[in-house]
Amino acid sequence: MAKAQLMRLLHAAAAAIIVALAVGLYRAKSDAARTEAHVRELNTEIADREARLRELRAEIAEQESPGNIEALNQERLGLTVGRDSAALPEHALDERLPAPREHKGRE
C-alpha cells in the first residue's frame, strides 16, 4: 500500500510541476508578445521622428538656400545682389571704416 501512495504522491507532484511549467510558459509567451508589441511601437515612433527630422533638415536647407536669402533680402531690405545701390559709394567708405592707426614698432 505504501508503494501505491508513493506513486499517487509522485503523480500529483508531477501534475503540479506540469501545471506550474505550463503557467510559466504562458506568462513568458504573453510577456514576450507584449514586449514585441512595445518594440514595434518604439520602432514606429523612431521611424516617424526620423522622417520628421528629414523634413526639418530639408526645410532648413530651403531656408538657407542662396535664392531664398536673396528673395528675403529683396523683400525685407529692398536690396538686390550685385545692384549698384547695394554698394557704398566711395565717399561713404571713410564714414563707415575707422581711420587707419599708426603702428609703433617695438624697440
Side-chain angles (χ1 to χ4, degrees), residues 38-54:
H38 186 65
V39 167
R40 278 195 304 271
E41 182 181 311
L42 290 175
N43 283 334
T44 301
E45 185 178 338
I46 288 169
D48 292 345
R49 288 181 185 225
E50 286 175 344
R52 180 65 179 140
L53 181 61
R54 284 190 299 274

Side-chain angles (χ1 to χ4, degrees), residues 28-103:
K29 284 182 77 172
S30 64
D31 287 349
R34 270 196 306 273
T35 302
E36 186 178 343
H38 186 65
V39 167
R40 278 195 304 271
E41 182 181 311
L42 290 175
N43 283 334
T44 301
E45 185 178 338
I46 288 169
D48 292 345
R49 288 181 185 225
E50 286 175 344
R52 180 65 179 140
L53 181 61
R54 284 190 299 274
E55 289 173 8
L56 291 172
R57 285 184 174 153
E59 188 177 324
I60 288 170
E62 181 182 334
Q63 293 293 321
E64 290 179 341
S65 71
N68 187 51
I69 292 173
E70 288 177 15
L72 288 172
N73 191 26
Q74 171 65 34
E75 176 186 318
R76 294 185 182 172
L77 301 175
L79 300 174
T80 305
V81 174
R83 199 175 76 194
D84 288 338
S85 65
L88 288 174
E90 275 189 57
H91 68 278
L93 288 176
D94 291 334
E95 296 171 6
R96 289 285 183 107
L97 297 175
R101 289 190 261 165
E102 291 184 27
H103 293 285

